[in-house]
Amino acid sequence: MWTVVESPIGPLRIVEQAGAITAIEFSPFRDNDGRPRGLQADDAPVLKEAVRQLAAYFAGDRAGFDLPLNPVGSEWQRAVWAQLLKIDYGETASYGEIAGRLGKTNAASRAVGTANGSNPIPIVIPCHRVIGADGTLTGYAGGIERKQALLELEQDALF
């Protein structure tokens, strides 16, 4: 099941399967990527709660999410995504720092970046909080403009 919600960074499609969020997609939406989505169900309880929490996040009234999540990925990807959930609201971490937290050397930074870019539940699993070692905004599946907007939103809400 899925629903679409308007946001300051454009429409977002939220996908739920078996009672858990499996994806948040940026527009323009791609329907032929092989991901199961099912039918539109704007009144599904988990989707309604995700919409409510995202609205509070974008209003600057929510720093974290309390949603059932089931991102589909490899063991490595899921390990990276678990580390992303540990980056506090308004904070950032480098790809190398994430690699280190996983017991890997800085050489694994590229693999962290690849897993980060494959995150199917952006915003809620905050891949936008991962930046280059020199503090630059590097790659984001939703585009650098969205990454910058999300980081600015969090900074503005803190002050």
Side-chain angles (χ1 to χ4, degrees):
M1 296 182 285
W2 57 272
T3 191
V4 174
V5 61
E6 292 298 323
S7 82
I9 58 171
L12 302 171
R13 180 164 51 189
I14 308 164
V15 181
E16 175 236 323
Q17 297 214 338
I21 302 298
T22 58
I24 295 178
E25 303 166 348
F26 297 112
S27 64
F29 305 126
R30 292 182 214 135
D31 291 322
N32 299 319
D33 60 4
R35 282 187 180 167
R37 292 183 185 87
L39 300 174
Q40 185 169 359
D42 299 331
D43 290 332
V46 171
L47 293 174
K48 285 175 67 172
E49 181 60 17
V51 167
R52 188 188 71 72
Q53 290 187 28
L54 282 165
Y57 169 82
F58 284 116
D61 296 330
R62 185 173 196 95
F65 296 90
D66 182 20
L67 296 166
L69 305 177
N70 188 19
V72 175
S74 69
E75 185 177 332
W76 169 254
Q77 289 171 325
R78 289 191 313 274
V80 170
W81 301 335
Q83 289 301 313
L84 301 181
L85 288 167
K86 296 177 182 179
I87 305 171
D88 289 335
Y89 181 87
E91 300 293 324
T92 58
S94 72
Y95 297 95
E97 289 171 334
I98 299 296
R101 293 175 190 175
L102 291 166
K104 305 293 183 187
T105 66
N106 204 41
S109 295
R110 189 175 301 260
V112 168
T114 300
N116 195 55
S118 300
N119 172 18
I121 311 176
I123 307 167
V124 174
I125 300 176
C127 51
H128 62 279
R129 296 180 188 154
V130 183
I131 60 173
D134 61 359
T136 58
L137 300 185
T138 58
Y140 188 63
I144 292 292
E145 301 81 17
R146 284 186 175 124
K147 182 174 190 165
Q148 184 169 354
L150 291 167
L151 291 171
E152 287 175 359
L153 173 117
E154 292 181 10
Q155 286 299 310
D156 291 346
L158 289 174
F159 298 103

